[in-house]
Amino acid sequence: NDGSLPQIVVIGGQSSGKSSVLESVVGRSFLPRGTGIVTRRPLVLQLFNTSGDGPFGNDSSGSGNNNSGGEEEYGGYNDNGDDRKEEHYNEISNDTTDNGAEWGEFLHKPGKRYYDFAQIRAEIVRDTDRLAGTGALSKGVSANPIHLKIYSPKVLSLTMVDLPGLTKVAIKGQPEDIADQILQINVQYGSNPNAILLAVTGANTDLASSDALKLARELDPRGDRTIGVLTKLD
């Protein structure tokens, strides 16, 4: 038996509206936007519902010692590697004064909470550039994922994966084989038999030539785990 956990894998062509689909699930705007290739690393997004008596229901306060940048550091250390008292983590974990708080945490930024979702977007861009290159002449991709957890009383507890958009032609500043690199990343995540494929296609394109549906048919010939999504209906 495959021990992989179930997850929703979002596939689609570049600028097909994948980011809008993810943000509609979360209910917040936090993903980078732009033209061309924007998602250049897989984003593994874990959502945790903090309402009620669930495992995170008592850790949804969002209070504590916020700084002006909308971030919070806790758990015995901060971004500079300085030691912090363990009591600070316990204070945050036990505080239940505001059950409406929403925040994000990155695996590569242990001990830091982001309450400002604009800063979550900025950190995704920064860490993407760190591994996939930056600037107009360096727009590569990386298979190394970014792991982001979002805690909110408004979300369903599930895992979604946003992938680089499928493309056919490299543009200036991109490696010649970028289409193959992106395809392999999509295949890597979409081949998981426990993955639900969310095949996103813009309504302004011909469904018969949809890159997302074509790949979904290859990965899931019977269509048992594929859901088609139409975006840009306006």
Side-chain angles (χ1 to χ4, degrees), residues 142-202:
S142 171
N144 192 344
I146 296 174
H147 291 267
L148 170 63
K149 296 180 180 180
I150 290 182
Y151 298 82
S152 168
K154 303 175 183 178
V155 301
L156 295 174
S157 295
L158 52 83
T159 298
M160 304 185 73
V161 183
D162 189 20
L163 298 172
L166 299 164
T167 187
K168 295 182 175 68
V169 181
I171 63 173
K172 186 177 181 180
Q174 294 179 340
E176 292 296 325
D177 65 340
I178 191 167
D180 290 334
Q181 291 185 37
I182 292 174
L183 177 61
Q184 290 307 312
I185 293 173
N186 278 259
V187 169
Q188 175 186 344
Y189 285 88
S191 297
N192 175 6
N194 290 328
I196 297 173
L197 303 179
L198 219 58
V200 179
T201 304

Side-chain angles (χ1 to χ4, degrees), residues 14-36:
Q14 289 183 16
S15 303
S16 61
K18 296 188 289 84
S19 296
S20 297
V21 172
L22 265 73
E23 289 182 339
S24 67
V25 173
V26 177
R28 299 292 293 266
S29 177
F30 66 98
L31 293 172
R33 299 296 182 90
T35 58

Side-chain angles (χ1 to χ4, degrees), residues 58-61 88-96 113:
N58 292 327
D59 192 18
S60 58
S61 67
H88 183 51
Y89 173 81
N90 294 330
E91 289 172 3
I92 295 172
S93 298
N94 295 327
D95 191 345
T96 59
R113 289 182 175 183

